[in-house]
């Protein structure tokens, strides 16, 4: 009598295993195809020096604008933070302990859509507020930080310092108490890599 082949797993478990392998393969494919898209955004950083005063320009480039506009028109608010760090280079034996951060700032904009006036609005963390009917002007204002002042209090020359800049974007900003659920929306949060400018590259009055 011919023996039936021995199956270590029941039918339903083998089918479940095949489905899981298919899902894993699909997830792997999605990660491979989405990764370049996630890395498409970039930080544009320039610095102008006037004496001991620095003026920072930061801009988020190559972000899919329609994704943001669609979210705002659905009633969500968005938030963007421009992250600025000023470092003083360590010298001598202190360089083994790393450079010293002497200044840090995170100027922030909050954006939304006024359904009654059909306009975009932009609110700064300094209390300033602006309205935009033109979406292109709104997007330029939202993604850009212009002439943010940073004062050098030390007497060292510019060669002893450098600036780091990055941008954090949240296309769906949840309000309390729902903000504790932000971790459930990771795809709506983006932080760009840090860009660096050594102040030794600057000339007074130029970037």
């Amino acid at each position: 009598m011919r023996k039936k082949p021995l199956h270590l797993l029941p039918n339903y478990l083998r089918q479940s295993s095949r489905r899981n392998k298919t899902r894993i393969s699909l997830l792997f494919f999605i990660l491979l195809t989405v990764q370049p898209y996630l890395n498409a955004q970039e930080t544009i950083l320039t610095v102008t020096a006037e004496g001991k005063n620095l003026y920072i320009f930061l801009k988020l480039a190559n972000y899919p604008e329609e994704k943001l506009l669609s979210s705002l028109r659905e009633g969500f608010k968005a938030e963007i933070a421009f992250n600025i760090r000023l470092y003083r280079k360590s010298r001598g034996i202190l360089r083994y302990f790393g450079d010293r951060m002497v200044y840090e700032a995170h100027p922030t904009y909050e954006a939304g859509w006024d359904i009654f006036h059909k306009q975009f609005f932009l609110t700064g963390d300094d209390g300033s507020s602006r309205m935009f009917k033109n979406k292109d002007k709104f997007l330029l204002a939202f993604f850009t930080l212009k002439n943010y002042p940073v004062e050098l209090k030390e007497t060292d020359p510019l060669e002893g310092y450098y600036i780091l800049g990055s941008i954090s974007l949240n296309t769906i900003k949840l309000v309390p108490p729902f903000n504790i659920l932000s971790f459930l929306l990771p795809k709506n949060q983006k932080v760009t890599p840090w860009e660096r400018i050594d102040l030794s590259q600057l000339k007074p009055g130029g970037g």
Side-chain angles (χ1 to χ4, degrees), residues 56-59 82 84 107 109 141 143-148:
I56 313 299
F57 175 94
L58 270 170
K59 182 178 180 180
F82 301 89
I84 300 168
Y109 296 153
F143 287 133
T144 308
L145 178 72
K146 294 182 179 180
N147 296 325
Y148 188 84

Side-chain angles (χ1 to χ4, degrees), residues 80-206:
I80 190 168
F82 301 89
N83 309 306
I84 300 168
R85 292 180 179 177
L86 173 64
Y87 281 86
R88 181 182 181 183
K89 298 177 183 177
S90 299
R91 299 174 182 174
I93 195 171
L94 293 178
R95 71 180 184 273
Y96 296 107
F97 298 95
D99 298 330
R100 181 165 64 96
M101 186 171 66
V102 297
Y103 178 83
E104 183 176 19
H106 306 275
T108 303
Y109 296 153
E110 183 180 87
W113 171 252
D114 187 328
I115 191 173
F116 299 106
H117 297 92
K118 305 297 182 184
Q119 295 183 92
F120 296 100
F121 62 83
L122 196 62
T123 304
D125 55 5
D126 58 355
S128 61
S129 183
R130 289 177 284 172
M131 304 292 290
F132 299 86
K133 288 187 176 181
N134 183 285
K135 71 172 185 177
D136 294 324
K137 291 182 178 180
F138 160 73
L139 290 168
L140 180 61
F142 181 68
F143 287 133
T144 308
L145 178 72
K146 294 182 179 180
N147 296 325
Y148 188 84
V150 174
E151 182 182 358
L152 283 176
K153 299 183 182 295
E154 307 282 350
T155 58
D156 290 350
L158 292 179
E159 287 78 6
Y161 295 88
Y162 59 89
I163 288 278
L164 294 182
S166 77
I167 297 173
S168 306
L169 175 64
N170 186 0
T171 55
I172 297 181
K173 181 186 177 183
L174 300 178
V175 297
F178 302 107
N179 57 335
I180 63 173
L181 302 176
S182 296
F183 71 94
L184 297 175
L185 303 170
K187 66 179 182 179
N188 299 304
Q189 301 171 23
K190 170 70 180 174
V191 180
T192 64
W194 290 95
E195 293 293 324
R196 170 171 169 160
I197 290 185
D198 284 275
L199 301 192
S200 59
Q201 303 171 4
L202 306 183
K203 298 179 181 178

Side-chain angles (χ1 to χ4, degrees), residues 23-40:
R23 290 170 183 167
I24 292 173
S25 300
L26 179 60
L27 177 60
F28 184 69
F29 173 77
I30 291 173
L31 289 175
L32 285 177
T33 55
V34 168
Q35 190 64 26
Y37 169 78
L38 293 177
N39 290 336

